[in-house]
């Protein structure tokens, strides 16, 4: 039996430089957003991670800006790098609604157990979150099943009962 790979740690994304952080307040600036979208499409997964982190942190602008950021998150959910997919799941945690839940369901089908674990961790406590956790009980990976069981128990993980 092969031990499951540790969940991707989106927090392990490259640290933002002062220059990067200076872009965040200006995400309403079309040029800044275009630059970050370009980074999100870079060949280097480290660049994609950093761009996604910056886009998801600074998505406070107009509806058009939010739509662009959502498009980048959507693309990151199918990235070849599990860390980038994990960062996208983390970005979804700040969003609500049917679209975010649909994307968590998509992540629950990810080939990487670490990404599936992040989907479970961000499932929420509503009916849809509970349904996602119940589905995860039949996952092929024991660590995914165990986390889903723990989240469904009355005392839950970290006191977050469902």
């Amino acid at each position: 039996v092969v031990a499951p790979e540790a969940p991707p740690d989106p927090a392990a994304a490259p640290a933002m430089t002062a220059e990067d952080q200076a872009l965040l307040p200006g995400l309403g600036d079309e040029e800044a957003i275009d630059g970050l979208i370009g980074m999100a499409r870079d060949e280097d997964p480290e660049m994609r991670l950093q761009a996604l982190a910056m886009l998801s942190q600074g998505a406070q602008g107009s509806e058009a800006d939010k739509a662009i950021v959502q498009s980048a998150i959507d693309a990151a959910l199918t990235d070849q790098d599990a860390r980038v997919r994990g960062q996208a799941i983390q970005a979804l945690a700040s969003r609500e609604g049917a679209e975010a839940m649909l994307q968590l369901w998509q992540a629950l089908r990810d080939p990487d157990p670490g990404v599936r674990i992040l989907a479970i961790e961000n499932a929420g406590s509503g009916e849809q979150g509970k349904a996602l956790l119940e589905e995860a009980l039949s996952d092929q990976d024991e660590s995914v099943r165990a986390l889903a069981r723990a989240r469904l128990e009355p005392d839950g993980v970290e006191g977050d009962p469902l």
Side-chain angles (χ1 to χ4, degrees), residues 27-38 40-41 51-52 55-56 58-76 95 103:
L27 271 186
D29 177 0
E30 198 171 309
E31 188 175 322
I33 292 174
D34 288 347
L36 291 172
I37 294 298
R41 295 181 182 134
L52 189 60
L55 284 167
S56 62
Q60 317 300 325
S62 70
E63 288 304 312
D65 291 347
K66 290 177 185 176
I68 291 169
V69 170
Q70 185 61 49
S71 176
I73 292 170
D74 292 347
R95 305 200 183 285
Q103 291 171 320

Side-chain angles (χ1 to χ4, degrees):
V1 177
V2 176
E5 186 177 313
D9 183 7
M16 283 196 276
T17 65
E19 181 179 293
D20 296 335
Q21 290 176 347
L23 285 175
L24 288 178
L27 271 186
D29 177 0
E30 198 171 309
E31 188 175 322
I33 292 174
D34 288 347
L36 291 172
I37 294 298
M39 283 176 59
R41 295 181 182 134
D42 196 276
E43 288 182 20
D44 181 0
E46 299 296 324
M47 293 293 283
R48 295 193 306 272
L49 267 172
Q50 188 171 3
L52 189 60
M54 291 171 57
L55 284 167
S56 62
Q57 288 175 15
Q60 317 300 325
S62 70
E63 288 304 312
D65 291 347
K66 290 177 185 176
I68 291 169
V69 170
Q70 185 61 49
S71 176
I73 292 170
D74 292 347
L77 286 168
T78 59
D79 195 275
Q80 71 235 23
D81 190 292
R83 297 171 304 151
V84 175
R85 294 191 308 270
Q87 181 68 43
I89 298 300
Q90 294 294 92
L92 283 175
S94 66
R95 305 200 183 285
E96 296 180 1
E99 182 68 25
M101 185 53 70
L102 186 64
Q103 291 171 320
L104 287 174
W105 277 94
Q106 176 185 346
L108 190 60
R109 294 176 188 86
D110 193 276
D112 187 293
V115 173
R116 297 193 305 270
I117 285 171
L118 286 170
I120 291 168
E121 289 174 346
N122 290 286
S125 58
E127 286 185 35
Q128 288 290 321
K130 184 176 180 182
L132 186 137
L133 295 173
E134 289 171 349
E135 178 71 22
L137 292 173
S138 62
D139 193 273
Q140 64 189 17
D141 187 274
E142 174 54 35
S143 61
V144 173
R145 293 190 307 267
L147 180 57
R149 270 192 306 274
R151 290 285 315 272
L152 285 166
E153 289 176 2
D155 57 349
V157 172
E158 298 178 15
D160 186 18
L162 297 179

